[in-house]
Amino acid sequence: MCDLVARTGRLQQRYKDGSRLVAGCIPFRYINSDEEDGNEKVVQVLMISSSSGPGLLFPKGGWENDETVKEAAVREAVEEAGVRGILMDFLGDYEFKSKTHQDECSPEGLCKAAMYALYVKEELETWPEQKTRTRTWLTIGEAVESCRHAWMKDALVGGFCKWHKEKVTTDED
């Protein structure tokens, strides 16, 4: 039994210029490589199954009036993927059109997602959406191939990978 409950409904949703504001993250971790020296760390990202069809996604959802965008990104990671960690840097804003979330505030289903990197420290045994979502750890290459939406692939390659390369290079200096 999960004590956490996922937020539902649209009453608290934020909108700006006809777009629904969304917050999400790309959860990641490091594992040891299978190479013989074993010192190489490999980055894996966590993706979740969609509740509305095939393909994998990163956790994201509506940014609500009673929270900051960072709080919304962290909440979505817990609700949809059952992970907690350290919210790192902002990766960028990504615009997309939702086929399932058209409403009076965004009749065309336009959305703008603020995406962050989340360094995973804990995988929860139970989480609010575990009955409708599975989670899968993937290498970057596998994740690029598995992304259901082009904007998420852009967030991964143009956002996360670029950020991670710059961060690792900076941290090693």
Side-chain angles (χ1 to χ4, degrees), residues 64-99:
E64 300 188 356
N65 291 326
D66 63 346
E67 61 190 350
T68 67
V69 66
K70 290 180 177 181
E71 289 170 338
V74 168
R75 175 179 52 78
E76 290 296 336
V78 170
E79 287 180 2
E80 294 189 350
V83 293
R84 288 192 177 119
I86 300 167
L87 194 68
M88 308 289 279
D89 297 323
F90 174 68
L91 301 174
D93 285 318
Y94 298 88
E95 295 181 354
F96 64 98
K97 204 172 202 176
S98 173
K99 293 178 183 148

Side-chain angles (χ1 to χ4, degrees), residues 10 12-16 19-22 62-69:
R10 295 268 176 268
Q12 295 293 317
Q13 296 289 290
R14 290 180 189 243
Y15 294 86
K16 184 175 181 183
S19 292
R20 178 173 168 247
L21 300 182
V22 171
W63 171 19
E64 300 188 356
N65 291 326
D66 63 346
E67 61 190 350
T68 67
V69 66

Side-chain angles (χ1 to χ4, degrees), residues 11 23 25 29 31 40 42 50 55 57 59 61 63 80 95 105 111 142 149 162 166 172:
L11 295 176
C25 63
R29 70 179 180 188
I31 61 164
E40 178 98 14
V42 175
S50 169
L57 313 168
W63 171 19
E80 294 189 350
E95 295 181 354
C105 297
C111 297
E142 292 168 336
H149 302 296
K162 182 179 174 188
E166 290 171 0
E172 288 177 353

